[in-house]
Amino acid sequence: SQKIEQNSEALNIQEGKTATLTCNYTNYSPAYLQWYRQDPGRGPVFLLLIRENEKEKRKERLKVTFDTTLKQSLFHITASQPADSATYLCAPSYLGGRRALTFGSGTRLQVQP
Amino acid sequence: EAEVAQSPRYKITEKSQAVAFWCDPISGHATLYWYRQILGQGPELLVQFQDESVVDDSQLPKDRFSAERLKGVDSTLKIQPAELGDSAMYLCASSSGQGTSKAYNEQFFGPGTRLTVL
């Protein structure tokens, strides 16, 4: 069965630095991958979607890469701010599937002022 | 700005009791999802509707869980009887489900219902 791995340990960085979060998947080839942000006690919020034929996607201070050979997506936040502190979830899906997204367990990011 | 509504926000119940959660998706969204999220884990799909039809309920424990979306708009998720292991956040999400890649649309989540089973 497909497996999605995100670093379960919290990532602590200093304000202004670039945060890099990793999402690895196995046993299938998703047609696209989404990233969501989740604050404590709230529902996830969509951030970015990247398709299998796209190497990189940017939105303001966010950048996502998608390496289908390595079966990995990297999520970057540049010039990080304390307000970026949250849990970030990756969610790959696969071509032709009616199934909804399959979420990783998320990585908690803590940006220190 | 349109939002997914859920109620109640919090529910405490005793095991063996019945509970029900309600979700009102964003107007016009054809696809509705119910997820369960255990603390420290990602959301896990329970059931997916396209309009009023179930398209995926393979992960729904059907001996105790049921879900319906009778008119293809709002939806109810029921647990009967509740068990201790059902304590979790229950999230509803919707997406527009438009186009050939309708499964690929971003999902809009509600605030969730935090269920505690004693």
Side-chain angles (χ1 to χ4, degrees), chain A residues 31-80:
Chain A
Y32 73 98
L33 188 147
Q34 297 188 14
W35 282 89
Y36 286 76
R37 167 184 173 142
Q38 187 171 27
D39 291 289
R42 307 188 70 172
V45 175
F46 172 81
L47 296 175
L48 281 169
L49 178 152
I50 186 165
R51 300 180 189 279
E52 60 179 342
N53 60 349
E54 298 174 319
K55 296 296 184 185
E56 182 179 296
K57 201 80 168 281
R58 291 176 184 263
K59 179 183 178 182
E60 298 173 351
R61 296 185 295 111
L62 308 180
K63 184 179 82 171
V64 172
T65 62
F66 194 5
D67 190 324
T68 55
T69 301
L70 293 178
K71 293 187 180 295
Q72 180 181 80
S73 175
L74 298 179
F75 178 82
H76 307 270
I77 305 176
T78 59
S80 60

Side-chain angles (χ1 to χ4, degrees), chain A residues 1-21:
Chain A
S1 62
Q2 54 263 34
K3 188 177 179 182
I4 302 161
E5 293 181 342
Q6 292 187 258
N7 194 339
S8 59
E9 293 183 11
L11 178 63
N12 291 285
I13 64 168
Q14 287 297 120
E15 182 176 6
K17 301 293 186 182
T18 295
T20 298
L21 287 68

Side-chain angles (χ1 to χ4, degrees), chain A residues 32 36 38 95 98-100, chain B residues 33 37 42 48 56 103-104 107:
Chain A
Y32 73 98
Y36 286 76
Q38 187 171 27
L95 184 65
R98 297 185 304 175
R99 187 172 181 81
Chain B
Y33 315 83
Q37 185 174 26
Q48 177 184 345
D56 189 345
Y104 308 160
Q107 295 184 20

